[in-house]
Amino acid sequence: MLIVKKFGGSSVADKDRIMNVARRCIEEYKKGHEVVVVLSAMGDTTDDLIAKAKEINPTPPKREMDMLLVTGEQMSVALLSIALDALGVPAVALNAFQVAMHTTSVHGNARLKRIDTERIQHELDDKKIVVITGFQGMDKYDDFTTLGRGGSDTTAVALAAALHADLCEIYTDVDGVYTADPRVVPNARKLEEITYDEMLDMATLGAKVLHNRSVELAKKYDVQLVVRSSLNENEGTVVKEEVEVEKKLISGVAADKNAARISLIGVEDKPGIAFKVFNMLAKENINIDIILQSVGRDGTKDISFTVEKDCLDEAIQIIEKNKDKMTAQKVESERGVAKVSIVGAGMMTDPGVAAKMFEALYNEGINIKMISTSEIRITVLIDELDADRATRAVHNAFKLEE
Amino acid sequence: MLIVKKFGGSSVADKDRIMNVARRCIEEYKKGHEVVVVLSAMGDTTDDLIAKAKEINPTPPKREMDMLLVTGEQMSVALLSIALDALGVPAVALNAFQVAMHTTSVHGNARLKRIDTERIQHELDDKKIVVITGFQGMDKYDDFTTLGRGGSDTTAVALAAALHADLCEIYTDVDGVYTADPRVVPNARKLEEITYDEMLDMATLGAKVLHNRSVELAKKYDVQLVVRSSLNENEGTVVKEEVEVEKKLISGVAADKNAARISLIGVEDKPGIAFKVFNMLAKENINIDIILQSVGRDGTKDISFTVEKDCLDEAIQIIEKNKDKMTAQKVESERGVAKVSIVGAGMMTDPGVAAKMFEALYNEGINIKMISTSEIRITVLIDELDADRATRAVHNAFKLEE
């Protein structure tokens, strides 16, 4: 069996943790499996490097920044390889150049294009554990790139796809994917299985276990993922295409407090206005999430949408500057909001799910500001202060702890 | 003009020093010169990385160790490139893979074989300052290598040769090459010029300004070297093939306290014994320096030689184990010795030089234990405690301060 194992920065933060990771890799190796390990930079290394660069230059050139940051993962892989040798197992550390991990040239946010597997295969044939830098790649100009947030997860999944691995294990500091954040809902239950689509919605909607880019990739190449803890031997959660039939309607509740609402009031009711607004914001890299457009009234309509809290001020500035083009009579905004979502492939077939969610919120006296739905997801926008209470109420209503 | 500038680890140890290096590079760039910069790892980075690895594994595999260590220079070059950008000058940082700095596969002590100049030339044509990692290379298996002690100097000289640079400046924390160590001989004089051969002898004999491998390379490819300080604007010392005719007999006095003496007493006077002894030590990587063999007496002779202090115990062990093969009646050793040498291309033509040196030592009451000479060098082995006094006496005798 060929297994790709990915460990995050906190799992390799110091000597003892590196030895722990080495031991876990050796367990599988001794069973006769082929093992490929993907690592992030140790602990706070990446943040420290960014701080060092910004002290010298508040706006460091992105190519040079990538050149700096990739040293972090290279240190991790070299040290793990040295640790594996100390435990008597041959290992080899490889960076993005040595593997040939081809990406686009967008420094700081590159996309993987192609991974050469020849060198890795050759080292596996030599009975070595192969330790590979996550998060980084090389572009067609022979320059280092980095993959942006969640990059190491993406590297691991992409490697698993390229190597036709039997399994891709993402080790993190939680046991797996839960029906809700266990810090908010004490009786949240760990899921044994979840589908790619459900996981995608959970990731996008605030469950921080896996980055959605890596889930998309796993779905595309049908890579079987397992999310599990590097701190214990618990089984974790399997992410795959189809899960068992007797499963529940709802897989989990996700809450995202990093949201703010903007409303354009009294926009002219003619085609193209919404396009103009969102195009303007997209150009400045401001991501729009839930969008709601009211039916027209007196020839005008209202457009509401959410953005990340950090982007609110910038978004408002852009809109105020272009208020005339947008024909908006008034711009309103609200910072203290949160999204609470239920996710589940089963809800497609059950019209009562939305009603049950709204009822649970009504019983708690929680006011819903906006609603957005997809086939496998219902999201409500509520007051940020109500978020934890809403999560618990919905979790209880669907008996997810059972 | 194309200039290669090399800065050591202490010159880039922190933010302020990196900015200082950036400013010095920009001075030449603004004059219209093409500038290639070679850097070592910042301050104690390399030692810190070695310590980290040894904590995990006391005998880390050398390939993985090189993989770890090369991150040090990559950080330096990225940060300098970021600093140059902050000062408004376009720059690009390149590592050994990006340049294609081909070496042998001896990890930890590789030799440069070939440097591709295409990428560097292309970046220079783009009006960029090109910042390149010193000390490191890549081998034919696409693995990182390191060049061993003085490696960054070697990188700089090799790059200057490959690029046909007009000048290779080695920046260090001293002003240049002195007639003797200024800490020992307060009136030691900075040399304006010195030949490659003299510099080689000075380097080998204890003057720590330049590593001899880099001087050998400079001589081979006729690269004009300048040794100067990164802390001031002083002119430095030019190292080249021929220096002005009216030069002094003697260029300088070098002292090396890192020496120990071993003597094999009463060795059989037959061919091949000396070969056996030195071959045995060479196999264990113990470098032999001065060798002295006495004339035979009663069918036996004495063989004396010096080794580095650190190697004395190991050398004695090897010899004791093989005493019979060596036919030695007795093995003697002495740890507290030093080599003091005078170096100068002029001495070839003047038979009085040796006599003058010995007279100076006699006047100081310093006993000479061994003598070794070459065409441009005279070395004496004396008591370690006499080394500084001997250096001053010889310096004065030849009036090197003038």
Side-chain angles (χ1 to χ4, degrees), chain B residues 56-325:
Chain B
I56 289 174
N57 187 340
T59 55
K62 287 183 174 175
R63 179 204 174 275
E64 308 308 313
M65 204 58 199
D66 280 353
M67 184 79 182
L68 179 67
L69 293 184
V70 296
T71 61
E73 291 81 38
Q74 192 167 324
M75 262 184 240
S76 302
V77 294
L79 287 173
L80 180 61
S81 184
I82 286 168
L84 287 163
D85 174 87
L87 298 174
V89 171
V92 61
L94 300 175
N95 74 5
F97 269 72
Q98 292 167 322
V99 170
M101 194 95 72
H102 303 275
T103 71
T104 61
S105 287
V106 186
H107 289 289
N109 199 22
R111 298 255 159 182
L112 279 165
K113 283 164 63 185
R114 196 179 81 249
I115 297 178
D116 294 350
T117 56
E118 199 185 333
R119 172 81 190 255
I120 301 172
Q121 206 59 67
H122 165 77
E123 302 287 0
L124 288 173
D125 292 346
D126 270 1
K127 300 289 167 218
K128 287 185 189 156
I129 291 183
V130 185
V131 191
I132 298 174
T133 51
F135 180 65
Q136 60 180 245
M138 57 179 283
D139 69 7
K140 62 182 167 185
Y141 307 107
D142 270 5
D143 287 332
F144 277 109
T145 55
T146 59
L147 304 182
R149 277 174 64 183
S152 292
D153 288 354
T154 309
T155 306
V157 174
L159 272 169
L163 291 164
H164 307 289
D166 299 279
L167 192 60
C168 178
E169 294 179 317
I170 308 287
Y171 286 82
T172 171
D173 47 6
V174 295
D175 273 4
V177 183
Y178 277 74
T179 52
D181 185 341
R183 286 166 302 186
V184 174
V185 183
N187 61 355
R189 187 173 48 83
K190 193 180 72 193
L191 296 164
E192 274 176 44
E193 295 181 335
I194 187 170
T195 66
Y196 295 123
D197 286 337
E198 289 170 333
M199 190 64 237
L200 262 179
D201 267 337
M202 293 285 276
T204 310
L205 295 167
K208 306 218 164 45
V209 186
L210 272 179
H211 196 265
N212 54 4
R213 215 200 277 183
S214 58
V215 183
E216 275 166 23
L217 207 61
K219 177 178 156 74
K220 186 168 171 192
Y221 292 103
D222 203 17
V223 172
Q224 183 160 324
L225 281 180
V226 176
V227 179
R228 57 191 302 186
S229 169
S230 63
L231 308 171
N232 61 47
E233 300 278 340
N234 297 349
E235 281 298 332
T237 301
V238 179
V239 188
K240 57 186 188 177
E241 188 59 46
E242 300 249 325
V243 303
E244 294 194 10
V245 210
E246 65 262 57
K247 66 178 291 296
K248 305 219 161 213
L249 285 174
I250 307 301
S251 293
V253 186
D256 182 0
K257 296 181 183 174
N258 183 22
R261 179 182 63 87
I262 297 175
S263 294
L264 307 181
I265 310 291
V267 170
E268 270 181 33
D269 193 6
K270 61 179 189 188
I273 297 289
F275 164 74
K276 266 186 207 157
V277 174
F278 298 127
N279 192 37
M280 221 173 273
L281 294 170
K283 268 191 206 152
E284 304 293 325
N285 275 318
I286 293 171
N287 281 318
I288 304 301
D289 196 7
I290 309 177
I291 300 173
L292 203 88
Q293 183 173 308
S294 71
V295 238
R297 191 186 44 176
D298 310 332
T300 71
K301 59 188 176 186
D302 305 339
I303 300 176
S304 296
F305 53 89
T306 60
V307 297
E308 287 184 19
K309 274 198 173 60
D310 286 349
C311 300
L312 178 61
D313 293 339
E314 199 186 343
I316 292 285
Q317 268 178 30
I318 294 165
I319 290 166
E320 287 288 355
K321 227 178 358 190
N322 299 283
K323 213 165 131 183
D324 294 346
K325 274 190 231 161

Side-chain angles (χ1 to χ4, degrees), chain A residues 119-282:
Chain A
R119 172 82 192 254
I120 301 172
Q121 205 59 65
H122 165 77
E123 302 287 0
L124 289 173
D125 292 346
D126 271 1
K127 300 289 167 219
K128 288 185 188 153
I129 292 182
V130 185
V131 192
I132 298 174
T133 50
F135 180 65
Q136 60 181 246
M138 58 180 285
D139 69 5
K140 63 181 167 185
Y141 308 108
D142 269 2
D143 287 331
F144 278 109
T145 55
T146 59
L147 304 182
R149 276 175 66 182
S152 292
D153 288 354
T154 309
T155 306
V157 174
L159 272 169
L163 291 164
H164 307 290
D166 299 280
L167 192 60
C168 179
E169 294 180 317
I170 307 287
Y171 286 83
T172 170
D173 47 7
V174 295
D175 272 5
V177 184
Y178 276 74
T179 51
D181 185 339
R183 286 166 301 186
V184 175
V185 183
N187 61 355
R189 188 172 46 84
K190 192 179 74 192
L191 297 165
E192 275 176 44
E193 296 180 334
I194 187 170
T195 66
Y196 295 123
D197 286 337
E198 289 170 333
M199 189 66 235
L200 262 179
D201 266 337
M202 293 287 274
T204 311
L205 295 168
K208 304 218 165 44
V209 186
L210 273 179
H211 196 266
N212 55 3
R213 217 200 275 182
S214 57
V215 183
E216 275 167 22
L217 207 61
K219 177 178 156 76
K220 186 168 170 192
Y221 292 103
D222 202 16
V223 172
Q224 184 161 323
L225 280 180
V226 176
V227 179
R228 58 192 299 187
S229 169
S230 61
L231 308 171
N232 61 46
E233 300 277 340
N234 297 350
E235 281 298 332
T237 300
V238 178
V239 189
K240 55 186 191 178
E241 188 57 47
E242 299 250 326
V243 302
E244 295 193 11
V245 210
E246 65 263 56
K247 66 178 292 298
K248 304 219 162 212
L249 285 175
I250 306 301
S251 294
V253 186
D256 182 3
K257 296 181 184 172
N258 183 21
R261 179 183 62 88
I262 297 175
S263 295
L264 307 181
I265 311 290
V267 170
E268 270 182 34
D269 193 7
K270 62 180 185 186
I273 296 288
F275 164 75
K276 264 186 209 159
V277 173
F278 299 125
N279 193 36
M280 224 172 271
L281 294 170

Side-chain angles (χ1 to χ4, degrees), chain A residues 15 18-19 42 49 52-61 63-68 70-72 74-87 91-95 97-98 119 123 133 141-144, chain B residues 15 18-19 42 49 52-61 63-68 70-72 74-87 91-95 97-98 119 123 133 141-144:
Chain A
K15 181 202 154 191
I18 290 174
M19 292 309 288
M42 296 169 70
L49 289 172
K52 248 185 194 142
K54 297 226 161 163
E55 212 190 318
I56 288 174
N57 187 339
T59 55
R63 179 204 173 276
E64 308 307 314
M65 205 56 201
D66 280 352
M67 184 81 182
L68 180 67
V70 296
T71 61
Q74 193 168 324
M75 262 185 241
S76 303
V77 295
L79 287 172
L80 180 62
S81 184
I82 285 167
L84 288 163
D85 174 88
L87 298 174
V92 61
L94 300 175
N95 73 6
F97 270 72
Q98 291 167 322
R119 172 82 192 254
E123 302 287 0
T133 50
Y141 308 108
D142 269 2
D143 287 331
F144 278 109
Chain B
K15 181 202 155 193
I18 290 174
M19 293 308 287
M42 294 168 72
L49 290 172
K52 247 184 193 141
K54 297 223 160 164
E55 212 190 317
I56 289 174
N57 187 340
T59 55
R63 179 204 174 275
E64 308 308 313
M65 204 58 199
D66 280 353
M67 184 79 182
L68 179 67
V70 296
T71 61
Q74 192 167 324
M75 262 184 240
S76 302
V77 294
L79 287 173
L80 180 61
S81 184
I82 286 168
L84 287 163
D85 174 87
L87 298 174
V92 61
L94 300 175
N95 74 5
F97 269 72
Q98 292 167 322
R119 172 81 190 255
E123 302 287 0
T133 51
Y141 307 107
D142 270 5
D143 287 332
F144 277 109

